[in-house]
Amino acid sequence: MKRQEHVWERRVQLAAHPLAYPFIAAVARRGPAVRVPGVGIVVSDPELARQVLLDHEGFRKDGPGSSGALWTPVLGPSVLLNMEGEEHRRLRAALAGLFTRAQATELCTRVLEPVLREAIDRLGAGGAVDLVALTRTAAGTVIGELLGVADTAGAEVFERGERIVRMVGLRTRELSPRQVAKAKAVLATLVVAAGEAYDRAEVGSMMGRLRDHGLDREQALGLAAAFLLTGTETVATTVPRVFALWHDSGLLPALRADLAAGGAAFDAAIDEAMRVITPSPAMLRRAARPGRLGATAVREGDRVVIATAQCDAAAGPFDRAAALGRCPAHDPKRLWFGAGPHYCIGAPLALAEIRVLMQALLMAGAERIVRRRAKRRVLIPTYARLEVAAGQAAGPPRPADHAELEVTAP
């Protein structure tokens, strides 16, 4: 019998990718690196994945078939996710100070307090809170503060980023001219506000750092737009799935007790959950030279698709002992954030948001899932709705509780 957390995670994955999810799983069973016509070389082994990610000269983020080529027409050529080499290193170094654990925690604690207050009061009064709506607003609020567009509602910031991400599928190689124009139009209002922040160039702000680093206004706005796209989806899709995984694994009471005692296991619980859900299901690279990935020959120009979810799943199912810090983490290097020079610069910020949100919810007594529904046909698997309430659940959800989502593999 499948464990409850496995059932729901599979349903969430299948709702998002009813064809691609079982297809990639089948490809992974054929080998650690498999050439798939029309897709590229699919890498499903964590060590081969790290080999690709660490070799930034052999496997690049710029050029045809890479993630950089996908976003450059919308964001411009200097937005980290499409850069390589020395200029990429210098720009990361200029921004690194904004993303220390201490600064990220201070930022998230400060700006999320008013966002969380209403949810905590509602839980305390016996009501339910939709964790999907809450985290969408929270993620948009944090990135809005970072980019200097704090006057824009957090939900609107998130919604604009989501509208652009929806244009992309697992097989998308480039956006059409019409899609590029639409994406730029969606970003226009936020770009104006970020441009004003650039002009003000407050000391210590992200836009101020970009100006001090020598980026002109257009380059800085492109980078701001890139952070909007990458800095909201991860948190907004991760938090509901982490809560659901902890709930279905029966860990919420133990984690609340851990928090009350100082939170020694909390980071381990987040890491283990993120390994299992893997917020970014795939990463793209372009082979810059011939070589090999395992037994598979690589040709210059090949598109390499790192199936991150399959790589992380290689360590096994969700491990309660690892989540409670009772044994070593299965992937302490956090492959779901990448590796090497392109390791996600915003990882400390994303983790700080997740910590602040989950700590507040657990300490407010959130322990029951009232209703949930997976989101269908989206790039990043997630819930469309996840209503939570305070009070201890009586046991595993009854079959009727699953009526909103009956997904089967094709």
Side-chain angles (χ1 to χ4, degrees):
M1 186 175 188
K2 290 184 179 179
R3 282 162 46 178
Q4 185 67 30
E5 63 267 27
H6 299 164
V7 171
W8 270 106
E9 261 306 299
R10 179 173 173 79
R11 288 177 171 181
V12 169
Q13 293 276 6
L14 283 169
H17 302 293
L19 298 176
Y21 177 71
F23 174 75
I24 293 298
V27 170
R29 290 193 290 270
R30 291 185 56 194
V34 179
R35 183 180 296 279
V36 179
V39 177
I41 298 175
V42 178
V43 176
S44 306
D45 175 80
E47 293 309 314
L48 284 184
R50 285 197 176 89
Q51 177 183 325
V52 171
L53 295 171
L54 293 173
D55 184 2
H56 63 98
E57 293 183 356
F59 299 96
R60 300 176 63 91
K61 293 196 76 172
D62 56 1
S66 68
S67 55
L70 188 65
W71 295 115
T72 295
V74 176
L75 306 174
S78 304
V79 292
L80 285 181
L81 55 78
N82 60 358
M83 297 172 68
E84 295 288 359
E86 182 60 22
E87 184 55 28
H88 173 261
R89 187 197 65 77
R90 286 201 301 267
L91 184 53
R92 280 185 67 100
L95 294 173
L98 289 173
F99 297 104
T100 65
R101 174 165 177 155
Q103 287 188 305
T105 300
E106 185 280 327
L107 171 68
C108 293
T109 302
R110 172 169 49 84
V111 304
L112 291 181
E113 192 276 333
V115 175
L116 286 166
R117 188 185 305 123
E118 181 180 352
I120 291 171
D121 290 345
R122 188 173 182 83
L123 289 169
V129 171
D130 180 12
L131 203 47
V132 173
L134 175 65
T135 53
R136 285 165 64 103
T137 298
T141 299
V142 169
I143 209 67
E145 177 75 12
L146 186 69
L147 300 183
V149 296
D151 291 340
T152 306
E156 180 185 347
V157 173
F158 178 87
E159 190 273 337
R160 287 175 179 268
E162 186 183 43
R163 283 167 63 187
I164 297 173
V165 173
R166 280 201 300 261
M167 300 178 189
V168 179
L170 290 179
R171 296 186 63 176
T172 305
R173 290 178 177 264
E174 62 181 15
L175 299 177
S176 69
R178 182 178 179 181
Q179 287 176 313
V180 170
K182 181 180 178 181
K184 288 183 175 180
V186 169
L187 290 171
T189 303
L190 294 177
V191 166
V192 169
E196 293 171 353
Y198 176 90
D199 294 337
R200 293 192 304 269
E202 291 100 337
V203 175
S205 71
M206 175 174 164
M207 301 307 288
R209 283 176 179 263
L210 295 179
R211 182 169 173 170
D212 293 342
H213 181 66
L215 269 71
D216 62 33
R217 200 173 190 273
E218 183 176 357
Q219 291 172 322
L221 293 181
L223 189 54
F227 272 94
L228 168 67
L229 294 179
T230 60
T232 54
E233 286 282 341
T234 298
V235 173
T237 57
T238 295
V239 169
R241 291 172 71 190
V242 168
F243 186 95
L245 187 60
W246 288 352
H247 168 276
D248 295 342
S249 303
L251 287 184
L252 291 177
L255 290 174
R256 182 179 295 110
D258 173 72
L259 279 176
F266 206 62
D267 281 357
I270 292 173
D271 278 350
E272 178 62 7
M274 291 188 76
R275 178 187 70 80
V276 172
I277 69 172
T278 307
S280 298
M283 301 177 188
L284 302 179
R285 292 294 188 271
R286 174 184 63 88
R289 61 192 179 202
R292 302 194 72 82
L293 284 172
T296 301
V298 177
R299 299 187 290 262
E300 182 178 351
D302 274 342
R303 186 183 195 228
V304 178
V305 180
I306 299 173
T308 327
Q310 297 298 325
C311 293
D312 289 337
F318 184 76
D319 188 329
R320 294 180 178 88
L324 292 173
R326 296 171 181 167
C327 67
H330 290 295
D331 189 350
K333 297 176 183 177
R334 295 171 173 164
L335 180 60
W336 49 93
F337 282 128
H342 284 285
Y343 184 84
C344 178
I345 191 173
L349 182 65
L351 289 169
E353 289 182 64
I354 294 167
R355 287 190 204 99
V356 170
L357 286 164
M358 296 300 285
Q359 287 172 0
L361 290 165
L362 287 181
M363 298 314 293
E367 198 164 316
R368 290 188 297 121
I369 293 180
V370 178
R371 184 178 295 106
R372 55 176 143 184
R373 175 167 49 89
K375 197 162 188 176
R376 299 176 183 272
R377 306 283 183 174
V378 289
L379 179 64
I380 301 178
T382 190
Y383 286 94
R385 192 169 190 85
L386 186 79
E387 292 185 20
V388 303
Q392 187 171 2
R398 299 183 306 274
D401 295 331
H402 302 310
E404 290 192 71
L405 177 61
E406 292 296 335
V407 183
T408 55

